[in-house]
């Protein structure tokens, strides 16, 4: 199957700092990518849709100024958590659809804000 | 929006046993996938199955789109099958493939 790579796998940062997470489609182009968040023992919830060449769209309740998304190219989307706080600690995972059919997910990033 | 239910929420099996996991959804879909989330959080693609039946080794899946449910069968379960199984789907009017995930089934396979 297609490969989506996410980096870093885990990160610990101090409260008030910013963290950037990268999501790359390695062997296909993705004009759209998706970012999800998962809290412990819960399911995955869509945060935002990353669109190459245009602004990201955010789900209701997701602060666009806190979670900055940039779709820099057809193979790269980044999520920056700005001024992180302990309540932002979570598992973040990206996905990209392959040929408008099956979606593939990155490995996920476990963010801990201390 | 579309509602997704999974059952059972938790399942404990002895190694070698068979199981059936169910996913019910409330509206038409254009994409349905089953995933296994391993202990490190990674989502492993099991099946892309908006309709029909597929098999891959000890796993098989069936989606009956007209009746709005999908089933995942695990035969001869192994301890490595432990983890959380999610069904995820894109509603029928959305070809963007931003998924709605079910709550998951947490499977524990005991040696």
């Amino acid at each position: 199957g297609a490969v989506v790579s996410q980096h870093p796998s885990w990160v610990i940062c101090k409260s008030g700092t910013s963290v950037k997470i990268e999501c790359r489609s390695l062997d296909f182009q993705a004009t759209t990518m998706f970012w999800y968040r998962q809290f412990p023992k819960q399911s995955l919830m869509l945060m935002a849709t990353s669109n190459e060449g245009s602004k990201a769209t955010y789900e209701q309740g997701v602060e666009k100024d806190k979670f900055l998304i940039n779709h820099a190219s057809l193979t790269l989307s980044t999520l920056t958590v700005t001024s992180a706080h302990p309540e932002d600690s979570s598992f973040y995972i990206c996905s990209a659809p392959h040929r408008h059919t099956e979606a593939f997910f990155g490995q996920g990033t476990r963010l801990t804000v201390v | 929006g579309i509602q997704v239910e999974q059952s059972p929420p938790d399942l404990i099996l002895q190694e070698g046993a068979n199981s059936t996991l169910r996913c019910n959804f409330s509206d038409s879909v254009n994409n349905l996938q089953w995933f296994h989330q391993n202990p490190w959080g990674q989502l492993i693609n099991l099946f892309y199955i908006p309709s029909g039946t597929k098999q891959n080794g000890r796993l098989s899946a069936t989606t009956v789109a007209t009746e709005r449910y999908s089933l995942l069968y695990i035969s001869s379960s192994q301890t490595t099958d432990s983890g959380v199984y999610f069904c995820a789907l894109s509603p029928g009017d959305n070809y963007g493939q931003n998924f709605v995930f079910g709550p998951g089934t947490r499977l524990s396979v005991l040696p």
Side-chain angles (χ1 to χ4, degrees):
Chain A
V3 178
V4 176
S5 178
Q6 190 172 337
H7 177 81
S9 298
W10 59 270
V11 58
I12 301 173
C13 70
K14 291 184 177 180
S15 187
T17 61
S18 296
V19 173
K20 181 184 285 188
I21 302 170
E22 292 187 348
C23 179
R24 295 181 184 273
S25 55
L26 296 186
D27 50 359
F28 67 102
Q29 293 181 336
T31 56
T32 304
M33 293 183 179
F34 303 96
W35 289 94
Y36 297 81
R37 181 168 53 183
Q38 183 181 32
F39 291 108
K41 305 293 186 183
Q42 295 187 21
S43 188
L44 288 82
M45 295 291 291
L46 179 67
M47 297 176 63
T49 301
S50 174
N51 303 297
E52 193 271 337
S54 64
K55 290 183 179 180
T57 55
Y58 293 82
E59 296 301 300
Q60 190 172 8
V62 177
E63 301 175 57
K64 62 180 181 180
D65 294 330
K66 166 168 277 295
F67 299 100
L68 300 181
I69 290 174
N70 181 31
H71 203 127
S73 72
L74 288 172
T75 59
L76 173 63
S77 173
T78 60
L79 168 68
T80 301
V81 183
T82 63
S83 187
H85 291 284
E87 57 265 31
D88 299 322
S89 297
S90 188
F91 185 70
Y92 295 87
I93 191 166
C94 66
S95 80
H98 184 235
R99 296 178 181 173
H100 303 289
T101 56
E102 189 171 1
F104 290 85
F105 283 76
Q107 302 94 318
T109 298
R110 195 164 304 279
L111 170 64
T112 302
V113 184
V114 298
Chain B
I2 193 167
Q3 303 298 312
V4 186
E5 299 176 345
Q6 287 187 245
S7 60
D10 297 280
L11 184 60
I12 300 175
L13 297 175
Q14 208 66 38
E15 196 169 26
N18 303 328
S19 62
T20 300
L21 282 58
R22 187 176 180 102
C23 173
N24 290 334
F25 43 96
S26 62
D27 207 343
S28 61
V29 298
N30 67 67
N31 182 9
L32 189 149
Q33 292 185 229
W34 282 96
F35 298 93
H36 174 210
Q37 187 168 42
N38 66 21
W40 296 272
Q42 187 169 4
L43 286 175
I44 309 300
N45 286 40
L46 297 179
F47 293 102
Y48 164 71
I49 189 165
S51 63
T53 298
K54 291 185 178 180
Q55 180 160 5
N56 183 5
R58 296 182 296 105
L59 304 181
S60 63
T62 295
T63 297
V64 184
T66 53
E67 297 187 20
R68 297 180 182 167
Y69 73 88
S70 183
L71 302 174
L72 176 68
Y73 305 95
I74 304 174
S75 64
S76 303
S77 58
Q78 301 175 357
T79 55
T80 51
D81 294 331
S82 296
V84 184
Y85 289 80
F86 290 104
C87 71
L89 48 90
S90 290
D93 60 349
N94 179 4
Y95 288 86
Q97 295 185 319
N98 46 315
F99 284 119
V100 176
F101 278 78
T105 291
R106 187 171 300 274
L107 174 64
S108 298
V109 181
L110 305 179

